């Protein structure tokens, strides 16, 4: 607001220097006289309402007063009051800080801010400040702080209310406890065991998961508090360590490990052992058997090719020297029986010879040797085996 003091000096004193001063309700607004005919108030308030006038002078003796002007300053009502929360979303974990922010988009002067909780309007805090925004803090919320909140603002024209905002405070889950419920003290194969997992504290819903040796067995959700159960029909493989986890959206908590020992009957144990041995043998013998069969098949296939391409003949007997003491010349072997057996693969030739030999007389017999010590005939056998790689034969006695 700008106040201007206007004067009309006589023509003969147009070059005279005038001095000015302004008043409100009888109190000077400036420190002293000023040569400027204006007085400026940057931002008027309701307290600036009142009666204004000014003074002008040319000399210290001659002073002129203006007429009085009544000025009334009216405030702008607050409007569009809203409530915001930090962190946003309205979902907090127990122990977090909650900030309620009350905002207005219009309004002048001092504004009184109010914060309320619940439908009954329980007053939380009141704050007065010359600002369009104000905050109210709850350092550490509890589960009991879950409710609806709203705020109000007033600058003299009556309070304006914000909309309701819901706040939900959740409790993190505590460490769950896993218990085993069995029909008897001793567990055997076939028994039904109930695994029960429950966290003593925590806002629902809570998701529970069951584990056996770090392998997930199953999961279940508790929507209204309490624990959940998982039924297990025992087998010989179910012995081991069990645990469970609970999670309601913050940090998952794990229970302590609970061991489970199952008594296996002798017949069940033998069956499991036999099954394990059979599986082990099959795992070892199957590749070996396949390798042997393949080698046999390959060997027989090569033998067939050799038998077809090579012409085999029975070898003539080779003259050999007699091993008897009275033998004068090499004896000719006269075959008494011969048998040729040619088959695929390894061929075996069997030859039997009968050697005719003179019987030494008693006079010619060396000392210590009697004619009855030798049979009248000796039978020799010679086995020849066909080589798969060439047609040479090795003699075997």
């Amino acid at each position: 607001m700008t106040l201007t003091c206007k004067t009309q000096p006589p023509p003969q004193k147009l070059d005279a220097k005038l001095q000015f001063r302004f008043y409100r309700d009888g109190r000077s607004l400036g420190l002293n006289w000023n040569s400027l005919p204006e007085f400026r108030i940057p931002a008027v308030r309701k307290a600036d309402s009142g009666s204004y006038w000014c003074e002008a002078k040319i000399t210290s003796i001659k002073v002129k007063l203006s007429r009085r002007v009544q000025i009334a300053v009216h405030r702008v009502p607050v409007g569009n009051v809203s409530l915001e929360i930090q962190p946003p979303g309205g979902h907090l974990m127990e122990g977090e800080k909650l900030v309620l922010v009350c905002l207005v988009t219009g309004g002048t002067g001092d504004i009184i801010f109010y914060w309320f909780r619940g439908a009954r309007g329980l007053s939380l805090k009141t704050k007065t400040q010359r600002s369009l925004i104000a905050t109210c803090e709850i350092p550490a919320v509890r589960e009991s702080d879950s409710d609806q909140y709203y705020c109000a603002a007033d600058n003299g024209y009556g309070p304006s209310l914000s909309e309701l905002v819901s706040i939900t405070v959740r409790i993190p889950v505590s460490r769950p406890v896993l218990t085993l419920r069995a029909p008897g003290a001793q567990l055997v194969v076939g028994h039904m065991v109930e695994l029960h997992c429950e966290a003593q504290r925590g806002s629902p819903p809570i998701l529970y998961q069951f584990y056996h040796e770090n392998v997930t067995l199953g999961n279940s959700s508790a929507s209204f508090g309490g624990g959940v159960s998982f039924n297990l029909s025992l087998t010989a493989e179910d012995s081991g360590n069990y645990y469970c986890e609970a999670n309601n959206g913050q940090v998952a908590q794990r229970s302590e490990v609970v061991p489970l020992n199952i008594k296996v009957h002798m017949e069940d144990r033998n069956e499991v052992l036999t099954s394990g041995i059979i599986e082990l043998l099959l795992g070892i013998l199957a590749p070996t058997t396949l390798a042997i069969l393949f080698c046999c098949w390959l060997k027989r296939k090569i033998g067939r090719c050799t038998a077809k391409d090579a012409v085999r003949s029975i070898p003539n007997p080779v003259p050999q020297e007699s091993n008897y003491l009275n033998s004068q010349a090499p004896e000719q072997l006269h075959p008494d029986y011969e048998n040729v057996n040619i088959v695929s693969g390894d061929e075996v030739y069997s030859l039997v010879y009968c050697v005719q030999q003179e019987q030494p007389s008693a006079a010619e017999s060396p000392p210590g040797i009697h004619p009855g010590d030798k049979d009248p005939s000796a039978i020799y056998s010679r086995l020849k085996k066909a080589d798969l790689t060439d047609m040479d034969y090795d003699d075997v006695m």
Side-chain angles (χ1 to χ4, degrees):
M1 181 176 65
T2 303
L3 305 175
T4 304
C5 191
K6 295 181 178 181
T7 63
Q8 294 178 352
Q12 64 274 14
K13 296 183 179 181
L14 291 176
D15 57 347
K17 292 183 179 181
L18 296 176
Q19 299 290 316
F20 302 94
R21 189 159 59 182
F22 295 85
Y23 296 87
R24 184 191 66 202
D25 295 333
R27 300 182 62 180
S28 174
L29 298 178
L31 296 178
N32 208 335
W33 292 90
N34 196 322
S35 60
L36 294 177
E38 294 182 350
F39 183 83
R40 186 177 186 84
I41 300 176
V44 294
R45 298 178 296 174
K46 188 175 179 62
D48 293 325
S49 300
S51 177
Y52 290 82
W53 72 91
C54 67
E55 290 181 343
K57 70 174 183 175
I58 297 176
T59 63
S60 58
I61 301 175
K62 212 167 186 181
V63 177
K64 296 290 187 179
L65 301 177
S66 71
R67 64 181 180 87
R68 297 175 182 267
V69 176
Q70 191 68 33
I71 297 176
V73 179
H74 301 279
R75 290 179 177 173
V76 177
V78 296
N80 297 326
V81 181
S82 61
L83 178 65
E84 295 182 357
I85 59 173
Q86 297 175 358
H91 298 283
L92 295 90
M93 299 303 294
E94 191 176 49
E96 290 185 318
K97 181 174 73 172
L98 173 64
V99 180
L100 304 174
V101 183
C102 193
L103 305 98
V104 294
T105 58
T108 58
D110 292 335
I111 301 177
I112 304 175
F113 292 91
Y114 307 90
W115 287 268
F116 302 94
R117 171 184 168 182
R120 296 183 178 182
L122 176 63
S123 179
L124 297 176
K125 190 175 183 180
T126 302
K127 182 184 291 187
T128 302
Q129 60 186 51
R130 190 178 294 272
S131 174
L132 300 180
I133 182 173
T135 60
C136 174
E137 294 184 0
I138 301 177
V141 295
R142 297 175 295 178
E143 187 181 24
S144 58
D145 291 325
S146 297
D147 211 330
Q148 291 182 321
Y149 293 80
Y150 66 95
C151 71
D154 183 16
N155 66 344
Y157 292 91
S160 295
L161 307 180
S162 70
E163 298 289 338
L164 291 171
V165 176
S166 296
I167 302 295
T168 303
V169 180
R170 295 174 57 80
I171 301 176
V173 293
S174 60
R175 188 174 190 180
V177 177
L178 177 64
T179 55
L180 304 182
R181 300 172 182 174
Q186 194 174 44
L187 300 176
V188 298
V189 174
H191 277 179
M192 184 68 69
V193 174
E194 179 186 358
L195 306 178
H196 185 79
C197 187
E198 183 175 357
Q200 298 301 319
R201 295 184 76 250
S203 300
I206 301 175
L207 178 64
Y208 293 93
Q209 297 196 53
F210 296 87
Y211 295 88
H212 174 223
E213 301 293 353
N214 296 326
V215 177
T216 303
L217 297 176
N219 59 71
S220 182
S221 180
S223 301
F224 303 101
V228 298
S229 297
F230 180 84
N231 294 325
L232 180 66
S233 180
L234 297 181
T235 64
E237 293 79 15
D238 289 332
S239 293
N241 295 322
Y242 290 79
Y243 65 91
C244 66
E245 284 185 352
N247 190 354
N248 68 344
Q250 185 71 3
V251 178
Q253 296 289 341
R254 178 179 295 187
S255 71
E256 294 184 355
V257 174
V258 178
L260 179 63
N261 298 317
I262 302 173
K263 182 179 180 182
V264 181
H265 294 298
M266 186 59 65
E267 55 272 16
D268 297 332
R269 186 177 303 171
N270 292 337
E271 181 179 351
V272 173
L273 180 60
T274 303
S275 176
I277 293 175
I278 293 175
E279 291 179 0
L280 177 62
L281 292 177
L282 289 177
I284 296 176
L285 295 180
T288 306
T289 304
L290 290 177
I292 294 174
L293 291 176
F294 177 76
C295 291
C296 293
W297 172 81
L298 184 61
K299 191 173 182 181
R300 292 177 64 87
K301 184 175 181 181
I302 296 175
R304 288 195 189 97
C305 295
T306 305
K308 291 179 182 179
D309 297 339
V311 178
R312 305 180 185 276
S313 62
I314 302 174
N316 294 325
V318 179
Q320 296 182 353
E321 295 183 359
S322 175
N323 293 331
Y324 287 90
L325 298 176
N326 61 347
S327 178
Q328 300 296 330
E331 297 292 341
Q332 180 69 33
L333 298 177
H334 301 285
D336 183 42
Y337 170 82
E338 64 182 73
N339 178 30
V340 179
N341 181 21
I342 301 177
V343 297
S344 300
D346 295 342
E347 288 80 6
V348 178
Y349 299 86
S350 177
L351 303 178
V352 180
Y353 294 91
C354 177
V355 177
Q356 301 296 330
Q357 173 124 7
E358 295 180 359
Q359 298 294 329
S361 61
E364 296 175 353
S365 299
I369 298 179
H370 301 283
D373 294 341
K374 293 290 183 177
D375 292 336
S377 63
I379 297 176
Y380 298 85
S381 64
R382 182 176 296 165
L383 301 179
K384 300 179 185 293
K385 184 176 181 180
D387 197 316
L388 297 179
T389 59
D390 51 44
M391 296 304 298
D392 294 338
Y393 294 89
D394 296 329
D395 294 342
V396 181
M397 291 299 293

